[in-house]
Amino acid sequence: MNHKKKTVITGLMIMALCLASCKGREKEENPYGPQVGKLGDEEAYAFLDMDYKDYVMVSSDGVYDTGTERQGAIYCTVYYYGNDEIVNLGTIMSNGTAYPISFSRDGIFAASGHHIEKYGISEKDMELYVKKGVYIEYDENGNEHYTAVTDGEETESDEEAYQEMAEEYGESQVIHFSYGADGCVNEIMEYKG
């Protein structure tokens, strides 16, 4: 068997395993098999169990060890199934390996030393949008100026709002990307202290 056939067969087997591992859940059957099959050899993916009708699929070819998650990423492409098709909603990117992409029940987070953003998905419009964000800018004298965005509306903000957003990001769960069916579903871990 030549290498190309072997790669195609291996890819199909991985896709079948992933689909099998994602069945038996409360949400509808996983529709992302065709998209998983289109991913390149270096692209890892994850299905996020969030407060949406179906899983949110993310993929990245920039997987690294974050220190707490050995298969995290600082950027990812976001896909969502709606209107009987898989839609590429765009890319979310953090600025540096200190800020891995993470998620909570209601958003996907990206950050840097000067901003934190929480993205949501409009299931009606099939769009990715900044649900909430806080940004720091510095003037020529080094003074901080804070702005915030909530559902598209920009307002003045302050350090307290930035710290609250930083805490929310810190409590979110780093996305575990997988190269196969094992570990493809990311669910929010409930910690009991």
Side-chain angles (χ1 to χ4, degrees):
M1 185 179 306
N2 68 31
H3 178 68
K4 198 171 200 173
K5 269 188 177 177
K6 198 179 233 184
T7 301
V8 169
I9 291 171
T10 302
L12 290 173
M13 288 173 56
I14 288 171
M15 187 170 61
L17 286 170
C18 184
L19 291 174
S21 74
C22 295
K23 288 188 178 182
R25 59 194 178 91
E26 292 178 16
K27 295 180 180 179
E28 294 177 16
E29 281 191 26
N30 189 340
Y32 293 107
Q35 188 60 46
V36 171
K38 292 177 187 176
L39 296 177
D41 291 343
E42 300 300 315
E43 270 189 287
Y45 62 94
F47 300 122
L48 308 181
D49 189 5
M50 300 173 70
D51 290 338
Y52 294 108
K53 180 182 172 193
D54 215 311
Y55 285 142
V56 175
M57 180 181 163
V58 291
S59 68
S60 181
D61 62 359
V63 174
Y64 70 103
D65 186 339
T66 71
T68 57
E69 168 55 60
R70 62 184 178 84
Q71 290 183 197
I74 61 168
Y75 61 88
C76 66
T77 302
V78 181
Y79 302 92
Y80 192 70
Y81 181 79
N83 303 327
D84 297 323
E85 66 177 335
I86 299 166
V87 178
N88 177 333
L89 300 178
T91 300
I92 293 175
M93 179 176 276
S94 282
N95 189 8
T97 56
Y99 307 98
I101 299 292
S102 63
F103 78 111
S104 64
R105 285 262 174 227
D106 65 338
I108 301 172
F109 292 85
S112 77
H114 305 291
H115 83 277
I116 303 167
E117 295 175 318
K118 179 180 182 180
Y119 290 84
I121 296 170
S122 168
E123 292 179 278
K124 178 184 173 195
D125 300 324
M126 293 299 288
E127 293 179 346
L128 188 65
Y129 68 98
V130 177
K131 188 173 192 171
K132 186 174 161 185
V134 181
Y135 309 86
I136 306 172
E137 292 181 5
Y138 296 91
D139 65 20
E140 62 277 354
N141 298 320
N143 298 313
E144 297 175 335
H145 176 73
Y146 294 88
T147 56
V149 172
T150 304
D151 294 327
E153 296 293 321
E154 186 173 322
T155 59
E156 294 290 318
S157 192
D158 56 26
E159 184 177 0
E160 184 179 341
Y162 187 85
Q163 293 304 325
E164 286 174 9
M165 189 77 180
E167 187 174 317
E168 188 177 354
Y169 172 62
E171 291 173 355
S172 65
Q173 189 168 308
V174 175
I175 297 172
H176 171 81
F177 289 84
S178 177
Y179 290 100
D182 188 34
C184 67
V185 176
N186 282 234
E187 297 176 320
I188 298 295
M189 304 301 255
E190 300 293 336
Y191 296 104
K192 295 181 181 176

